[in-house]
């Protein structure tokens, strides 16, 4: 059709993953279209984002807006709260031990999506409605949106969440599973300082994590059986505070001022292919994992930065941005990183749920014991968390990694 604009890339879905992917594409010189309603303004979760992800937020120009709303995570403490015979010692990972000021920052999701929307507006075409149909042609993808607008792009990025219709239109299938658990989140005030340490209490029904917030506040992610979560959600704040205080064994002193609690049933899902028929999948359209070890959105940041790098390479070299070469580069760049994290989180969760099986709890206990007693091993694990070896796109590069190294700070 004469005069019809064909975008380099269209991102479908303006949740955190879609916003980051669109901003990274536009920043890399790609003519970008972002389609989707503004992200959920009732999302009270926070995201712990590690070094490479923070570096990406800096490159996308959203970090100045977010820095004051976020709390550094200087340490991660793992406490074995299992009832196993082989209870492991407490392990404390300190970022300073690996030469960093902090592992990353804990950022409110609403502040994150608001700051990203503000940079997306001027740098791309932004359509704030849903896609109603996706047609994949030989040279382009055609998208119809609510209200009947029609748009075309060489490459479509499915960031439309776990039930992605764009992924289905490309013929990409998923493997899905559920866990007998849900997570409760809330923010609260406390009497004792958290000292910028995130504490994970590994209990038999799942981890209970308190992540540092500004001042004397923390954010809770409490994973437990679905029945127990239903019961906890039904308690008033005073009773809930008493139960949380007992679970934390006085770690943060007395607790108060709880924000409204939200609960999330846990499930897992992976896309069987990450790229097919001019569509790549990113964020929860590609991988859904339980909120253990703060992996989900960190993976999505690596999806976004990798995609932007590969698609902009294709544009620079005059290749087809949605062609087979781009798709296969994305598939091979992302497959190992996603597979490893999904496997590790699933294994850790299942090892807790099976802690009554002596072999399983012994293996987990020995792993924690090795970490507790070996600074070198701890350092390797920490570096893998900040700079994963399997995936290190340029926009999150090690050379410019944030937060700053200690030796840089003292200059
Ligand atoms: C309790 C909890 C705590 C977590 N904590 C962390 C953490 O600390 N660190 C971390 O890294 N990760 C964390 N995660 C994971 C992280 O929150 C998710 O990975 C992330 O929110 C998923 O974002 P997304 O954009 O992929 O999906 P979604 O937020 O589901 O966004 C999908 C978007 O697509 C849009 N959409 C759907 N259909 C269409 C359509 N047809 N057209 C256009 N748009 C469409 C929707 O409106 C939505 O805005 C946590 C998860 C949970 C449950």
């Amino acid at each position: 059709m004469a005069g019809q604009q064909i975008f380099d890339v269209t991102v479908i879905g303006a949740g955190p993953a879609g916003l980051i992917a669109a901003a990274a594409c536009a920043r890399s010189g790609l003519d970008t279209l972002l389609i989707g309603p503004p992200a959920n303004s009732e999302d009270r979760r926070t995201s712990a984002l590690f070094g490479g992800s923070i570096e990406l937020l800096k490159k996308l120009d959203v970090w100045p807006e977010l820095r004051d709303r976020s709390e550094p995570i200087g340490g991660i403490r793992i406490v074995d709260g299992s009832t196993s015979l082989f209870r492991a010692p407490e392990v404390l990972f300190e970022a300073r031990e690996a030469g960093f000021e902090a592992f990353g920052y804990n950022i409110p999701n609403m502040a994150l999506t608001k700051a990203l929307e503000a940079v997306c507006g001027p740098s791309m075409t932004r359509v704030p409605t849903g896609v109603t149909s996706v047609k994949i042609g030989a040279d382009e993808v055609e998208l119809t949106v609510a209200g009947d607008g029609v748009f075309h792009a060489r490459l479509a990025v499915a960031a439309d969440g776990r039930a992605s219709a764009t992924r289905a239109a490309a013929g990409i299938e998923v493997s899905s599973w559920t866990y007998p658990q849900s997570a409760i989140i809330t923010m609260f005030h406390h009497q004792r300082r958290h000292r910028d340490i995130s504490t994970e209490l590994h209990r038999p029904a799942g981890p209970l994590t308190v992540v540092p917030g500004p001042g004397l506040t923390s954010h809770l992610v409490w994973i437990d059986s679905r029945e127990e979560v239903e019961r906890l959600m039904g308690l008033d704040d005073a009773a809930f505070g008493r139960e949380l205080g007992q679970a934390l064994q006085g770690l943060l002193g007395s607790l108060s001022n709880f924000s409204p609690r939200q609960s999330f049933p846990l499930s897992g899902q992976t896309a069987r292919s990450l790229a097919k028929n001019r569509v790549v999948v990113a964020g929860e359209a590609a991988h859904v994992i339980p909120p253990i070890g703060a992996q989900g959105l960190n993976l999505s940041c690596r999806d976004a930065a990798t995609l932007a790098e590969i698609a902009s390479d294709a544009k620079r070299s005059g290749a087809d941005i949605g062609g087979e070469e781009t798709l296969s580069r994305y598939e091979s760049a992302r497959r190992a990183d996603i597979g490893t994290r999904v496997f590790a989180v699933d294994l850790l969760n299942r090892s807790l749920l099976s802690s009554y099986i002596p072999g399983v709890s012994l293996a987990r206990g020995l792993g924690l014991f090795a970490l507790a007693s070996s600074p070198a091993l701890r350092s390797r694990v920490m570096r893998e968390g900040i700079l994963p070896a399997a995936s290190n796109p340029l926009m999150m590069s090690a050379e410019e990694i944030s937060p700053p190294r200690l030796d840089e700070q003292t200059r």
Side-chain angles (χ1 to χ4, degrees):
M1 208 189 296
Q4 165 190 281
Q5 179 179 9
I6 303 183
F7 290 91
D8 293 332
V9 174
T10 178
V11 178
I12 298 124
L19 286 162
I20 294 171
C25 287
R27 183 75 194 197
S28 304
L30 294 157
D31 192 8
T32 305
L33 165 69
L34 171 61
I35 309 178
N40 177 7
S41 60
E42 294 299 310
D43 185 352
R44 295 199 187 84
R45 285 175 295 176
T46 57
S47 294
L49 294 185
F50 300 129
S53 303
I54 300 296
E55 182 61 26
L56 178 61
L57 297 182
K58 284 185 175 178
K59 299 240 171 66
L60 300 181
D61 292 334
V62 289
W63 188 237
E65 173 72 22
L66 293 172
R67 174 65 189 88
D68 289 344
R69 317 273 314 265
S70 310
E71 189 66 14
I73 301 171
I76 298 175
R77 178 193 290 124
I78 297 178
V79 182
D80 186 357
S82 70
T83 47
S84 147
L85 286 175
F86 310 103
R87 277 193 69 173
E90 178 179 308
V91 184
L92 177 61
F93 296 95
E94 288 186 284
R96 282 171 181 266
E97 206 181 337
F100 294 95
E101 185 202 4
F103 290 110
Y105 291 81
N106 187 29
I107 306 171
N109 282 12
M110 284 192 279
L112 177 66
T113 50
K114 190 165 164 244
L116 285 162
E117 279 283 3
V119 294
C120 283
S123 62
M124 66 189 68
T125 302
R126 173 80 177 94
V127 176
T129 53
V131 167
T132 53
S133 123
V134 180
K135 281 192 202 145
I136 297 164
D139 301 319
E140 61 182 56
V141 181
E142 182 184 283
L143 301 133
T144 307
V145 301
D148 277 349
V150 178
F151 298 89
H152 299 85
R154 297 287 177 216
L155 176 70
V157 181
D160 43 351
R162 56 185 69 197
S164 170
T166 313
R167 182 185 63 209
I172 298 176
E173 295 186 349
V174 292
S175 307
S176 309
W177 58 96
T178 55
Y179 297 96
Q181 300 152 295
S182 295
I184 299 182
I185 61 118
T186 182
M187 195 267 274
F188 59 98
H189 290 244
H190 43 79
Q191 185 189 20
R192 295 210 180 114
R193 292 173 54 227
H194 49 53
R195 297 178 14 254
D196 288 341
I197 293 174
S198 179
T199 299
E200 289 180 23
L201 198 58
H202 287 189
R203 293 150 47 94
L208 184 163
T209 307
V210 276
V211 192
L216 288 171
T217 67
S218 285
H219 295 265
L220 172 73
V221 182
W222 181 343
I223 295 176
D224 216 307
S225 70
R226 295 208 173 179
E227 302 72 44
E228 181 63 358
V229 164
E230 204 179 322
R231 185 186 73 77
L232 291 166
M233 288 295 287
L235 298 178
D236 63 26
D237 282 356
F240 180 76
R242 275 194 301 279
E243 298 223 10
L244 177 60
Q246 270 166 21
L248 289 174
Q249 299 158 23
L251 177 77
L252 295 170
S254 63
L255 316 177
S256 61
N257 293 14
F258 290 88
S259 70
R261 281 161 258 154
Q262 292 177 322
S263 72
F264 299 81
L266 300 198
S267 60
Q269 181 172 281
T270 49
R272 294 211 180 124
S273 162
L274 299 174
K276 192 174 173 187
N277 293 329
R278 295 195 169 272
V279 172
V280 299
V281 289
E284 289 210 332
H287 41 76
V288 178
I289 50 181
I292 299 174
Q295 295 296 320
L297 196 54
N298 283 288
L299 272 178
S300 309
C301 287
R302 301 204 281 280
D303 298 341
T306 305
L307 163 72
E309 194 172 304
I310 291 171
S312 60
D313 277 358
K315 181 168 179 162
R316 263 194 301 278
S317 66
D320 178 357
I321 293 170
E324 278 311 314
E325 198 185 331
T326 310
L327 300 186
S328 74
R329 274 190 71 192
Y330 182 76
E331 175 85 43
S332 49
R334 296 302 302 132
R335 178 53 68 193
D337 185 26
I338 292 172
T340 319
R341 305 285 152 169
V342 171
F343 176 75
V345 169
D346 182 67
L347 185 70
L348 174 58
N349 193 30
R350 289 187 197 279
S351 79
L352 289 172
L353 290 173
S354 319
S355 58
Y356 57 89
I357 304 174
V360 175
S361 57
L362 177 62
R364 195 169 44 80
L366 286 175
L368 288 174
F369 180 77
L371 284 167
S373 51
S374 166
L377 185 59
R378 276 201 304 278
S379 188
R380 274 182 58 189
V381 169
M382 285 188 276
R383 288 189 162 272
E384 180 59 21
I386 295 176
L387 303 167
S391 180
N392 201 5
L394 276 178
M395 288 181 106
M396 307 167 82
S397 68
E399 296 78 53
E400 298 163 81
I401 191 79
S402 169
R405 293 182 60 90
L406 289 176
D407 46 3
E408 283 166 4
Q409 276 211 313
T410 49
R411 263 180 223 157

